Amino acid sequence: MTALAARLGGELRRVPIWVIWALGLLPLAWLIVRAGAGGLGVDPVKALEHQLGKLGLQFLLLGLAITPLRRLGLNLIRFRRAVGLIAFTYVLLHVAVWVFLDLQLRWSEIAADLTKRPYIILGMMGLTMLIPLAATSNDLSVRKMGAQRWRVLHRLTYGAALAGILHYVWLVKGWPAEPFIYLAVFGGLMALRFLGPRR
Amino acid sequence: MRLTWSDVTPKALFMSRRQWMTGAASIAALAAASRAAQAAVEDVPNSFEDITRYNNFYEFGYDKEDPYRNAGQLTIDPWAVVIDGLVEQPGTYDLADVLAGQPTEERIYRLRCVEGWSMVIPWLGFELGHLLRRVGVQPAAKFVAFETLLRPAEMPGQRTGLLDWPYREGLRIDEAMHPLTILASGLYGEELPRQNGAPLRLVVPWKYGFKSIKSIVRITLTEEMPPTTWNMMQPREYGFYANVNPKVDHPRWSQASERRIGAGFFAPRIPTQMFNGYAEEVADLYAGMDLRVNY
C-alpha cells in the first residue's frame, strides 16, 4: 500500500473518490431529468439507449487517458477504478435499455441479434470483457491478485473499449463523423501509451 | 406565384379535411385511452411534432432532429422540376405547373423506416401516375429515376461526405404508376415542412422510407434500372426494391418488428407487416419474384 500511496500524489490527492462518482453520475441524473420532462425527443428509447452507450465509451476513454496523462505530470491514477466502474455502470444501463425498452424481452429476436449481428456480438464481447474488470475493481481483489496480475487482467480494458467503439462504428448508416471520432481518440491514446516516452 | 393550399385544393375538400382533423383528434384521444387497456397498436396518425422533428434527411445532418433545426434556410420558392427522358413532353416545369390540376387528397399512410421504427402520417398529395400520364410516358420507359436538390449552400449535410450527393432514388414504372404511390406536397392539411421534403416528395408506403425521396428536382423516365443512393453505397444492405418485408433481415439487424414512434418509453414493439400492410394492393407487382434475391 505504501508503494501505491507513494505513486499517488499530485494536487488532486485530497479529493475523495465519492466526488468522482458524483460527477460521473451527473450525466445520468441529467438524462433521467430530461426523460421525465419529455426532453429526449420523439423517440426517447433510442435517445436514452444511444446516450448511455456513448457515456460508457466516453468514460472508458477517460479511464484509458489516465496513464498518458500521468506521463504528462497529471496523476489521476487514484480515480481510475472509479472511472472504470462508472463506465461499466453506463454500459450495463445501455444494455438494460436495449433488452427491456428497445427489444422488450422478445427473446427470440434478442437471441438472433446475439448470434447473427456482428455489431451486437462486438458490443456483447465488450460487455463481457468489462465484467471481470468491474468485479476486481476493489482493494480486496488487488490485494488478493497482487498488483502485477491485476494490471495484466486490466489490460482487457483496451479490448473492451475497442469492441465498444467498433460496435458503434458498425451500427451506423452512411459515414457520420461521431463514431470515427471515438475511434481516433482511442487510436491516439493507444499511440501515446505504447509509442510515447516511458516513465 | 406563391400557391397556398386553398389555391390548389377544392374548397369542399379543404373543408372536409378540417372536419377529418377534428375527427382524428377525438379518435386519437380515444385510442390513447384504450391503449393502456389493450396491447394492440392502432394506426393513429403521429403528432405533427413527431413527424416534423424526427427525420432522416441527411442533406440537413445526421441526427434525427438536424433537419428540424437546419432545414429552415432552404429556399423552396421558386422551385422547378425537370421531367425528362422517355416522356412525350419533357421540360422544366415550375412547381405550380406540376401541381396544377392535380386532385389533391389526404392519404394516411404507415411509414416504415429501414432502421426499424415507424410512424403514421397524414400526407396531402396526388398520384404520381396522374403526373406521369399528363407528361406522357413513352412505351419504352421501364423505370423512373428521381433526384433531390443539390444545393450545398443551403443543405449543410451536402458539405460532408455522408452520402454520394445528390440523393437519387428510383421505381419500376408499374410501381410508379400504382395508385398508392403519391407525390406529397402537404402534411396535416398544411404545406409540407422543409424537413419533410418540401416542396415535393415521393411517398411509396409499402417500401422502406429511404425510397420516398424528398425535395425532388428531377424525374427521369428510363429504360434501364437507375442507380439509387443507398444501393450504390451498400448494395448488400439496400436493394433497389426495398419492399418492407419482415422475413428478409437487413444484414446488420432484424426487420421482424418495429417500434412505433411517439408513444413514449413503454410503447410496445409491433410486428412488421409484409409490404408494410399494403400486400393486398401491391403483392401482385412482385408475383413470381424471389423477394430474398430482389430485396
Side-chain angles (χ1 to χ4, degrees):
Chain A
M1 282 309 282
T2 47
L4 251 178
R7 279 170 49 202
L8 294 177
E11 312 85 54
L12 293 158
R13 99 175 49 150
R14 270 188 294 277
V15 175
I17 301 295
W18 67 262
V19 172
I20 301 305
W21 274 98
L23 288 175
L25 294 181
L26 265 182
L28 178 64
W30 177 232
L31 266 181
I32 292 169
V33 167
R34 279 163 71 208
L40 290 181
V42 170
D43 189 3
V45 174
K46 270 287 158 230
L48 191 63
E49 189 175 271
H50 290 171
Q51 283 307 317
L52 288 169
K54 283 191 232 175
L55 281 163
L57 289 179
Q58 286 159 17
F59 278 94
L60 277 175
L61 290 176
L62 205 60
L64 289 177
I66 285 175
T67 294
L69 279 176
R70 191 170 46 162
R71 298 209 186 117
L72 299 175
L74 180 60
N75 192 340
L76 301 173
I77 200 131
R78 199 161 65 92
F79 307 125
R80 192 164 61 175
R81 282 185 344 215
V83 169
L85 285 170
I86 291 165
F88 181 66
T89 306
Y90 281 115
V91 171
L92 267 191
L93 288 170
H94 165 71
V95 175
V97 169
W98 178 65
V99 170
F100 291 101
L101 295 181
D102 187 346
L103 282 171
Q104 303 173 0
L105 306 177
R106 293 165 83 107
W107 295 110
S108 61
E109 283 176 49
I110 291 171
D113 275 359
L114 284 172
T115 50
K116 285 162 71 176
R117 321 276 170 221
Y119 86 91
I120 299 273
I121 294 168
L122 266 172
M124 273 299 159
M125 281 168 58
L127 172 68
T128 309
M129 286 187 252
L130 286 179
I131 291 169
L133 304 187
T136 57
S137 283
N138 54 72
D139 291 341
L140 184 66
S141 298
V142 180
R143 233 175 294 142
K144 275 191 157 172
M145 294 177 71
Q148 185 54 37
R149 277 168 60 208
W150 191 90
R151 269 201 299 272
V152 171
L153 173 69
H154 279 250
R155 286 190 192 140
L156 267 181
T157 313
Y158 313 139
L162 183 62
I165 292 166
L166 291 179
H167 158 77
Y168 184 19
V169 167
W170 209 320
L171 148 80
V172 296
K173 286 163 63 202
W175 297 108
E178 205 176 350
F180 294 97
I181 292 172
Y182 283 86
L183 192 59
V185 170
F186 177 79
L189 288 174
M190 290 300 99
L192 278 176
R193 172 169 304 235
F194 294 111
L195 307 176
R198 298 269 149 180
R199 77 196 129 95
Chain B
M1 187 174 81
R2 199 183 175 86
L3 291 174
T4 69
W5 274 105
S6 48
D7 290 318
V8 294
T9 312
K11 185 82 176 170
L13 183 60
F14 196 76
M15 295 312 287
S16 74
R17 218 162 44 217
R18 295 285 160 182
Q19 285 162 7
W20 183 91
M21 290 284 297
T22 39
S26 48
I27 291 168
L30 252 176
S34 67
R35 201 174 299 170
Q38 47 168 295
V41 174
E42 329 230 344
D43 284 334
V44 176
N46 279 86
S47 70
F48 185 79
E49 195 199 358
D50 289 350
I51 298 168
T52 55
R53 296 183 72 146
Y54 195 83
N55 307 97
N56 277 330
F57 196 173
Y58 289 177
E59 280 79 348
F60 295 107
Y62 185 72
D63 287 337
K64 296 285 188 288
E65 274 204 42
D66 282 347
Y68 167 78
R69 283 191 285 258
N70 300 333
Q73 55 191 311
L74 180 67
T75 307
I76 53 172
D77 185 12
W79 193 272
V81 181
V82 174
I83 305 181
D84 61 0
L86 301 171
V87 292
E88 306 295 348
Q89 300 165 61
T92 301
Y93 291 80
D94 193 67
L95 181 65
D97 292 340
V98 174
L99 300 175
Q102 299 295 349
T104 305
E105 297 172 46
E106 177 129 46
R107 295 277 182 103
I108 304 171
Y109 283 158
R110 286 177 289 273
L111 178 134
R112 169 64 156 81
C113 179
V114 73
E115 295 167 353
W117 52 268
S118 62
M119 290 194 191
V120 178
I121 303 179
W123 302 109
L124 279 184
F126 57 91
E127 293 178 18
L128 172 62
H130 288 163
L131 175 67
L132 294 181
R133 273 189 282 272
R134 214 181 86 200
V135 296
V137 177
Q138 292 182 15
K142 301 273 194 307
F143 293 91
V144 186
F146 304 87
E147 227 175 84
T148 293
L149 177 71
L150 179 67
R151 192 182 287 159
E154 291 181 357
M155 298 176 131
Q158 289 179 341
R159 304 199 287 265
T160 74
L162 202 46
L163 290 175
D164 186 359
W165 314 107
Y167 195 83
R168 277 156 280 192
E169 261 308 335
L171 294 172
R172 220 168 54 188
I173 190 77
D174 56 344
E175 297 174 326
M177 302 301 283
H178 193 282
L180 283 184
T181 302
I182 60 167
L183 286 175
S185 52
L187 174 69
Y188 261 123
E190 306 288 339
E191 269 185 61
L192 195 62
R194 286 168 172 79
Q195 63 268 37
N196 294 88
L200 193 70
R201 66 165 293 166
L202 183 68
V203 180
V204 194
W206 71 93
K207 292 175 180 286
Y208 292 118
F210 70 86
K211 294 295 292 182
S212 293
I213 185 171
K214 302 183 179 85
S215 303
I216 297 169
V217 293
R218 189 182 201 108
I219 300 175
T220 309
L221 282 87
T222 64
E223 209 173 341
E224 305 289 323
M225 184 182 279
T228 58
T229 297
W230 283 102
N231 181 251
M232 285 154 59
M233 186 152 131
Q234 275 154 326
R236 216 171 59 82
E237 299 191 344
Y238 308 99
F240 176 81
Y241 289 96
N243 293 316
V244 176
N245 187 342
K247 294 199 194 76
V248 176
D249 288 343
H250 184 283
R252 287 182 286 154
W253 54 81
S254 164
Q255 298 289 23
S257 63
E258 64 203 49
R259 286 177 325 106
R260 183 61 56 82
I261 294 298
F265 276 105
F266 303 104
R269 228 169 219 282
I270 55 179
T272 292
Q273 303 177 73
M274 188 66 206
F275 296 114
N276 204 21
Y278 300 97
E280 210 173 294
E281 290 88 349
V282 303
D284 287 352
L285 296 175
Y286 310 101
M289 278 174 68
D290 184 347
L291 297 178
R292 285 183 181 280
V293 177
N294 297 290
Y295 52 89

